[in-house]
Amino acid sequence: MGNFGSKKNSQTRSKINNIQYKYINGRKYYDEEIANDLTPIDIEEIDRAQSQHYTFKHMFGGNVSAPVEECLSSGCKVLDVGCGSGIWILELATENPKSHFFGVDLSPIFPDQIKPANTTFIQTNILHGLPFEDNEFDYVHIGHMCLALTEEQWQNIIPELIRVTKPSCYIEFSETDIICSSAGPIYTKIIDSLQQYITSSGLNPKGAKLISNWIKKHSPNQLININEVIKKQPLGLWGGELGKLNSENFLEFFKMMAPRLCKYLNITQDEYLKLLNNCKDYEWDQYKPRMNYIRVWAMKVGNGNEIHN
């Protein structure tokens, strides 16, 4: 496996300097030639993503599930791929001052100056490789990228994550599954339209549940001790405070998707918003849908733990 990231650094910088944007309903998005990401680049999306982060943290009882707590407290080097606003890094860096945390993202929405001294943020396009040396990090995390990456792109990125991870160290994935169980007829219709749109964008709407399979498929015999934990959580007021938080987050996401999904539903945006409100006010409480939060983590082979056929 070559040093894909180091070879592409100059190309990455040139592409970042020439990023093209587009606007939909007044919200800023990357042009498709730069990134597939379905979500906009604005303060509303930052707020939604941070709400999702706190819900995720609550569900799993912390920011990490891989067995890396001792490594973090004693001092190690950590990478967060697709770090967004940097909230995951900022929390862990404050809790673990002996470790150094690196975050990379195409969007420079992470803090530039006011941040813990043990953090470094880099704007880069991960589709052109990670700008780090082989075996550099003790722990690598990537979160909420299934609606931004095609399977073909995962095929390149998973080996890159492995390349920069030290032998016998962990890589962890965090994802939210958009497909709910026990959804009523209206919400099922909306979800179906979302799946159609995601598929038309070259993405896989079931990607969150396929991470562990993609690890095995695209990097055979390079990761061991693969663990997957799925937390089924309530969507709607029937689920108490947690269900309310989930519904607020999903509503913001689906409102943002309105211009794209209306054509699949063949309705106006006003009609679409009425359907969403019906889900929030009635259908979710009647059908009690649940959504899936997923974490997958695995260890890179090496230092005597190689797989022998």
Side-chain angles (χ1 to χ4, degrees):
M1 186 158 41
N3 197 332
F4 179 62
S6 297
K7 293 178 182 178
K8 298 289 184 177
N9 284 350
S10 60
Q11 180 182 359
T12 300
R13 284 194 292 269
S14 66
K15 286 185 177 291
I16 287 175
N17 290 335
N18 295 290
I19 289 178
Q20 300 295 316
Y21 300 98
K22 62 182 179 181
Y23 289 84
I24 301 176
N25 271 23
R27 303 191 72 173
K28 184 178 179 181
Y29 294 81
Y30 287 118
D31 187 85
E32 285 89 348
E33 293 185 3
I34 299 296
N36 298 312
D37 201 344
L38 304 185
T39 56
I41 314 153
D42 54 26
I43 190 64
E44 292 87 357
E45 175 57 19
I46 292 173
D47 289 343
R48 188 199 67 80
Q50 293 197 165
S51 171
Q52 182 182 50
H53 161 81
Y54 288 121
T55 305
F56 227 90
K57 180 180 178 182
H58 174 74
M59 284 300 90
F60 287 92
N63 281 317
V64 302
S65 289
V68 296
E69 288 84 358
E70 185 176 343
C71 178
L72 291 172
S73 60
S74 61
C76 64
K77 199 170 183 179
V78 179
L79 173 64
D80 186 23
V81 178
C83 64
S85 68
I87 184 65
W88 186 87
I89 284 179
L90 297 174
E91 290 186 357
L92 284 174
T94 302
E95 297 165 359
N96 301 279
K98 292 182 180 180
S99 291
H100 198 104
F101 296 81
F102 290 77
V104 295
D105 203 295
L106 183 58
S107 303
I109 57 175
F110 39 73
D112 182 27
Q113 296 179 339
I114 303 175
K115 58 186 181 66
N118 59 334
T119 62
T120 301
F121 292 98
I122 302 169
Q123 183 185 12
T124 190
N125 189 337
I126 65 171
L127 297 181
H128 304 296
L130 295 170
F132 303 106
E133 298 300 320
D134 295 354
N135 306 321
E136 188 165 343
F137 294 95
D138 301 281
Y139 173 49
V140 173
H141 174 265
I142 181 169
H144 311 294
M145 296 292 285
C146 276
L147 295 185
L149 300 172
T150 66
E151 183 175 354
E152 182 179 0
Q153 290 166 343
W154 277 111
Q155 184 174 349
N156 292 323
I157 288 170
I158 290 173
E160 268 294 275
L161 300 175
I162 296 171
R163 179 184 68 79
V164 302
T165 304
K166 293 178 182 178
S168 299
C169 291
Y170 283 90
I171 302 171
E172 183 164 345
F173 303 78
S174 300
E175 292 293 340
T176 303
D177 183 15
I178 63 165
I179 303 172
C180 294
S181 61
S182 304
I186 295 176
Y187 193 51
T188 296
K189 191 175 181 180
I190 294 173
I191 288 289
D192 288 346
S193 70
L194 177 61
Q195 292 189 77
Q196 291 178 57
Y197 177 76
I198 290 173
T199 302
S200 73
S201 301
L203 306 172
N204 191 324
K206 299 180 181 179
K209 285 189 173 180
L210 293 174
I211 290 293
S212 59
N213 290 332
W214 287 346
I215 289 174
K216 299 170 187 175
K217 177 180 178 181
H218 300 312
S219 297
N221 300 330
Q222 295 183 59
L223 294 173
I224 59 172
N225 300 340
I226 300 172
N227 296 268
E228 181 180 56
V229 174
I230 300 176
K231 302 277 190 178
K232 290 187 175 293
Q233 303 304 322
L235 179 62
L237 299 180
W238 69 272
E241 190 62 30
L242 183 59
K244 178 182 177 183
L245 288 173
N246 286 330
S247 67
E248 290 173 351
N249 193 283
F250 263 45
L251 284 170
E252 285 304 310
F253 175 80
F254 279 103
K255 286 177 182 177
M256 173 265 295
M257 293 296 297
R260 295 158 167 179
L261 300 189
C262 284
K263 69 176 183 178
Y264 288 96
L265 293 165
N266 196 28
I267 58 177
T268 66
Q269 288 199 40
D270 284 343
E271 291 171 327
Y272 174 83
L273 293 176
K274 287 180 181 177
L275 289 181
L276 281 182
N277 286 330
N278 184 291
C279 289
K280 174 177 68 76
D281 295 333
Y282 304 105
E283 188 174 273
W284 287 343
D285 286 338
Q286 180 181 357
Y287 287 88
K288 297 178 171 51
R290 291 185 178 272
M291 53 188 292
N292 297 314
Y293 289 110
I294 302 171
R295 275 187 181 168
V296 177
W297 64 95
M299 177 189 288
K300 179 177 176 177
V301 300
N303 293 343
N305 64 7
E306 290 86 359
I307 299 174
H308 301 284
N309 295 321

